[in-house]
Amino acid sequence: MVRGLRGLGLAAACAAAGTAPIAPPAAAPSAASTAASIAASAPDGPDPGAGPSGEQGVQPGAPSWAAFVPPAPARPGAPPSRPVRKGVPYAPSPWVRGRPAEAGCTAYIALAGSGRVARVDVASHTVTSTAIRADTAEGVAVTPDARKVYVAAAGQYQVIAVDAATLRATPIVVGAYPQDVAVSPDGSQAYAAVTGGDTGPGGSSAVAVIDTRTDTVIRRVDVGAAPRRIAFAPDGKDAYVTTARGLAVIDTAKGEVAGEVPGIPDAQGVAVSADGSRVYATRPDADLLYVVDAAHRTVTRRVKAGAEPWAVAAAPDGRKVYVADMNSDSAGVYDATGRRHLADVPVGRRPASIAATPDGSEVWVGNAMTGTVSVIDTSSDEVVTTIRGGPPGATLGASPLDIAFVRNP
């Protein structure tokens, strides 16, 4: 059975637009119990960020993230307005004290429930646009030069290539239900995980390789049933893909599977350390985080994580790993070797995506049920602000299922 969040994203999108999804040709597994809890009502209204990419076709009135500036801080000495982890003394947000976040950096957030991608200024934590549209956007990636954005549009069997400056969109047919897309470190290729509708006959086992110069599929790599998430090694020589069978390794020069890491069945999230020496993978049904020696392709440690660990991110300084524990409503923090559990940081409901800023000062967690992004300060491992789709308390059901950062050109 496909473990992906496709059903979650489709349900949220349909609830927002007042429609029902079209039945796919391949049999999709039921995700009713999860989807029902995620699909939330949202106010209708025009998107202030809508631009010339309307040809991608989102239902009128679907919810979208509007620009939001956090309210002014409380007066000195006032009690904290956010939950504080037990045993950690409260301190005002470092952003309130004037500490700058990373300047010159942009985040793109795939909002499966609203069929859009939010563009966020990282320094101010402000949504600047939701003009990019893609039916059930489950994955997003950006070229290193920040010129192109690639969106895995699971609802249309496509990856959408978007010019970041003009918003001109080019649909690329890749196959059934692409759940993720990743761009190679040199920006020459984008890999799309064609997750498919089932793991049995008629299901998918392909990663579609896209030439970013021509935006065409130049190769398909068979990695095993239901490919889910993709992460490149920093040097771009290998790409790691989680599947229903485990963790596959693609030799990117040859365009073929070079091997598989044994002992990680039914893998979901994947991340690679900044030096390429370690790979991290999650197994939600067993509540496990795996630490892999990349050179030998062997598991060095199995770590008991929170309830249903879904996504994983490695801090750029190589010291910590963060895991989005979906059914714990928290992000688990571990040292890079997996030997020590450092903290559990409360976030929003059903965290399903996680990523670290390029400078490593923050980790962003996408909360699928609350439709928000919790921003964790990595120096204190506390949530310092929440990026919302409107005023405080607004719940859009937008399902932020993927987050990609890029430094501005």
Side-chain angles (χ1 to χ4, degrees):
M1 183 178 70
V2 175
R3 178 172 291 282
L5 283 170
R6 179 179 63 255
L8 181 157
L10 286 170
C14 294
T19 60
I22 298 174
S30 172
S33 59
T34 302
S37 63
I38 300 296
S41 60
D44 291 342
D47 175 15
S53 60
E55 68 271 12
Q56 295 176 61
V58 71
Q59 288 289 335
S64 60
W65 282 22
F68 169 68
V69 178
R75 66 184 184 279
S81 59
R82 57 181 173 82
V84 180
R85 283 189 297 122
K86 193 172 183 179
V88 178
Y90 172 73
S93 164
W95 313 117
V96 173
R97 293 199 299 269
R99 169 186 162 184
E102 176 159 344
C105 191
T106 297
Y108 289 89
I109 303 173
L111 304 174
S114 64
R116 297 177 186 262
V117 174
R119 186 179 66 206
V120 184
D121 177 71
V122 173
S124 63
H125 304 122
T126 302
V127 178
T128 59
S129 173
T130 54
I132 296 175
R133 306 184 183 190
D135 189 0
T136 318
E138 293 202 13
V140 63
V142 194
T143 54
D145 61 9
R147 293 183 178 180
K148 274 188 182 179
V149 181
Y150 288 86
V151 188
Q156 292 295 327
Y157 291 25
Q158 297 172 346
V159 166
I160 309 295
V162 182
D163 185 299
T166 66
L167 297 183
R168 179 181 176 84
T170 302
I172 307 164
V173 176
V174 294
Y177 305 122
Q179 185 183 109
D180 191 26
V181 61
V183 173
S184 61
D186 66 1
S188 66
Q189 295 182 336
Y191 279 26
V194 184
T195 309
D198 206 321
T199 58
S204 174
S205 60
V207 166
V209 180
I210 298 167
D211 184 324
T212 58
R213 183 179 59 84
T214 61
D215 286 332
T216 57
V217 175
I218 57 173
R219 184 180 297 112
R220 294 180 185 275
V221 183
D222 189 332
V223 295
R228 294 161 180 172
R229 309 300 296 183
I230 303 169
F232 281 93
D235 61 9
K237 293 181 179 179
D238 292 323
Y240 299 90
V241 186
T242 57
T243 73
R245 189 171 65 188
L247 181 63
V249 185
I250 297 176
D251 181 321
T252 58
K254 295 180 179 179
E256 61 186 36
V257 172
E260 185 174 291
V261 179
I264 314 179
D266 212 17
Q268 174 63 35
V270 63
V272 185
S273 64
D275 63 2
S277 65
R278 294 187 180 97
V279 181
Y280 303 93
T282 63
R283 182 183 173 188
D285 63 354
D287 298 339
L288 289 174
L289 167 68
Y290 293 83
V291 182
V292 176
D293 181 318
H296 298 93
R297 295 176 187 164
T298 57
V299 173
T300 59
R301 187 163 293 274
R302 292 174 21 152
V303 182
K304 190 65 176 177
E308 201 167 4
W310 199 264
V312 59
D317 64 4
R319 298 172 66 182
K320 291 189 284 190
V321 182
Y322 292 78
V323 180
D325 295 321
M326 182 179 288
N327 281 342
S328 296
D329 295 341
S330 64
V333 189
Y334 306 85
D335 78 303
T337 66
R339 288 187 172 88
R340 287 193 302 144
H341 172 235
L342 304 176
D344 287 309
V345 185
V347 291
R349 297 292 306 280
R350 295 294 181 89
S353 56
I354 193 165
T357 56
D359 71 349
S361 65
E362 297 175 348
V363 165
W364 290 23
V365 183
N367 306 305
M369 178 172 282
T370 49
T372 60
V373 172
S374 299
V375 178
I376 298 172
D377 178 350
T378 56
S379 65
S380 63
D381 286 332
E382 289 186 292
V383 173
V384 292
T385 193
T386 300
I387 301 170
R388 306 175 187 273
T395 300
L396 300 186
S399 299
L401 298 190
D402 200 15
I403 303 168
F405 293 102
V406 66
R407 287 194 168 96
N408 300 336

